[in-house]
């Protein structure tokens, strides 16, 4: 099933995406700050234009039809293009003003970037920064973000890439936990300790398991797929878990456990679309992140 998207109203597509995300007209209307009748009219007019039903009503709310699910990636591409248009229009290419959208993982976005971005905003107050914190990789080719901090080698072509370095990830625990339960001297000693780890076995997790660095999920007494939550559990003294070594070194109460037996190297890269390399504000942010992240990797930064 194929649809001619170019003649569609962007307002109608935005309303369609909001209903998909929220599951009801009322919630979608609140999200977009529209009245419910207006949003309902948008969806109805979109259905009329396309000649298909997009939602069916159920006890749990509005359920997307097969046609709606097929249209979703196209509407999301329109949304990304609209956001890119607004960011591009927010500043001239040769001017140090406008908006730059950055994406980074949970840990980097919450633990590493805040002081780095604070220093940038003091130097360049006319540049607005948008930070997307997610472990999912935004598609830079679709301009979902302008600049990405990636924890793996970027696989897409048409990108400007810079390898920052390798971040050491090791097992850590709070000092008082080790005082109470003993410090493991070998990997076998971890049995009986409270281990903090993942819940869902993602492809990245399975790859780490195959390398022998991660046990089966049943070995973890505390499981969460949030890297930030895992770090906070380590900081709370609950048990032993994996943490980026430069972050742990900031806290004198955190102790690295079995550094020789468990040392997971995490690649750090910067990437942006090659079409943005001539835009001054993009280059300023890209170069600043490159310099500051390199200092972080080498343990010379906040």
């Amino acid at each position: 099933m194929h649809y001619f998207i170019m003649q569609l109203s962007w307002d109608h597509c935005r309303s369609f995406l909001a209903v998909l995300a929220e599951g009801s007209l009322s919630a979608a209307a609140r999200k977009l700050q529209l009245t419910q009748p207006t949003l309902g009219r948008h969806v109805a007019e979109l259905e009329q234009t396309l000649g298909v039903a997009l939602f069916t009503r159920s006890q749990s709310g509005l359920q997307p039809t097969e046609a709606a699910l097929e249209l979703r990636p196209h509407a999301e591409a329109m949304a990304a293009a609209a956001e890119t248009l607004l960011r591009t229009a927010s500043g001239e290419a040769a001017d140090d003003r406008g908006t730059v959208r950055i994406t980074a993982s949970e840990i980097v976005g919450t633990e590493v970037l805040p002081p780095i971005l604070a220093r940038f905003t003091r130097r360049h107050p006319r540049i607005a920064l948008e930070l997307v914190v997610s472990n999912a990789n935004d598609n830079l080719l679709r301009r979902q973000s302008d600049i990405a901090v990636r924890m793996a080698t970027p696989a897409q072509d048409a990108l400007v890439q810079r390898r920052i370095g390798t971040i050491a990830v090791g097992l850590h625990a709070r000092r008082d936990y080790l005082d109470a339960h003993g410090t493991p001297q070998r990997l076998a000693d971890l049995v009986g300790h409270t281990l903090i780890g993942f819940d869902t076995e993602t492809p990245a997790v399975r790859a780490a398991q195959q390398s022998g660095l991660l046990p089966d999920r049943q070995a973890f007494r505390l499981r969460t797929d949030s890297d930030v939550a895992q770090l906070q559990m380590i900081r709370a003294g609950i048990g032993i878990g994996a943490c980026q070594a430069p972050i742990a070194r900031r806290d004198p109460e955190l102790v690295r456990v079995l550094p020789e037996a468990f040392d997971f190297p995490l690649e750090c890269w910067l990437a942006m679309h090659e079409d943005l390399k001539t835009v001054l504000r993009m280059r300023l942010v890209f170069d600043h992140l490159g310099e500051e992240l390199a200092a972080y990797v080498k343990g010379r930064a906040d």
Side-chain angles (χ1 to χ4, degrees):
M1 189 181 302
H2 299 283
Y3 302 100
F4 187 62
I5 299 296
M6 294 301 293
Q7 294 180 350
L8 299 183
S9 163
W10 162 237
D11 286 337
H12 293 174
C13 289
R14 183 178 62 166
S15 296
F16 162 68
L17 286 173
V19 176
L20 273 176
E22 302 299 324
S24 72
L25 292 177
S26 57
R30 287 193 297 271
K31 178 179 180 180
L32 297 181
Q33 297 183 330
L34 297 174
T35 65
Q36 186 170 333
T38 297
L39 191 137
R41 188 179 69 253
H42 286 176
V43 173
E45 290 175 355
L46 182 59
E47 289 178 324
Q48 183 177 6
T49 300
L50 297 172
V52 295
L54 296 175
F55 298 97
T56 58
R57 294 189 178 277
S58 69
Q59 292 182 344
S60 59
L62 294 179
Q63 297 298 318
T65 64
E66 181 180 346
L69 295 176
E70 188 173 345
L71 281 168
R72 183 174 200 161
H74 302 292
E76 289 174 341
M78 289 181 68
E83 292 173 0
T84 299
L85 178 65
L86 291 174
R87 291 199 301 273
T88 302
S90 69
E92 299 295 332
D95 201 359
D96 67 335
R97 67 179 178 87
T99 302
V100 178
R101 189 175 181 86
I102 306 164
T103 182
S105 66
E106 279 189 345
I107 286 293
V108 172
T110 58
E111 292 287 331
V112 181
L113 287 187
I116 291 175
L117 298 183
R119 287 188 283 273
F120 181 86
T121 58
R122 287 195 289 269
R123 296 177 190 172
H124 303 282
R126 299 200 303 167
I127 298 177
L129 301 176
E130 298 175 351
L131 178 60
V132 180
V133 177
S134 171
N135 287 338
N137 287 337
D138 276 7
N139 192 320
L140 295 176
L141 297 184
R142 292 183 180 177
R143 307 296 179 83
Q144 292 172 332
S145 292
D146 299 316
I147 298 174
V149 183
R150 294 271 170 85
M151 297 296 105
T153 306
Q156 296 170 322
D157 295 327
L159 296 180
V160 177
Q161 305 175 13
R162 181 183 298 180
R163 184 180 182 276
I164 301 302
T166 301
I167 302 171
V169 177
L171 295 177
H172 293 80
R174 208 169 74 177
R175 194 176 305 277
D176 56 358
Y177 171 87
L178 297 175
D179 289 342
H181 299 89
T183 300
Q185 301 300 312
R186 54 182 182 170
L187 287 174
D189 295 342
L190 292 174
V191 177
H193 277 276
T194 299
L195 300 183
I196 301 163
F198 64 88
D199 182 29
T200 304
E201 291 188 355
T202 64
V205 166
R206 285 192 289 272
Q209 286 177 312
Q210 291 172 0
S211 69
L213 289 175
L214 281 180
D216 183 85
R217 69 184 293 276
Q218 298 302 322
F220 301 115
R221 289 179 59 190
L222 285 169
R223 307 177 192 125
T224 175
D225 292 328
S226 168
D227 297 334
V228 172
Q230 289 185 26
L231 176 59
Q232 295 305 324
M233 289 179 184
I234 297 169
R235 286 173 168 163
I238 296 176
I240 300 172
C243 171
Q244 292 186 21
I247 293 175
R249 284 197 292 266
R250 301 171 181 171
D251 187 343
E253 292 304 308
L254 292 187
V255 177
R256 186 161 181 180
V257 176
L258 301 172
E260 296 182 359
F262 187 99
D263 185 21
F264 181 74
L266 190 64
E267 290 276 311
C268 182
W269 289 76
L270 267 184
M272 72 175 175
H273 195 285
E274 63 181 7
D275 290 348
L276 299 179
K277 63 185 179 183
T278 59
V279 180
L280 178 59
R281 67 183 184 280
M282 302 296 175
R283 290 300 316 184
L284 289 171
V285 175
F286 191 89
D287 291 343
H288 177 82
L289 290 175
E291 178 183 346
E292 294 265 358
L293 287 171
Y296 164 75
V297 168
K298 295 174 182 177
R300 300 198 308 263
D302 294 342

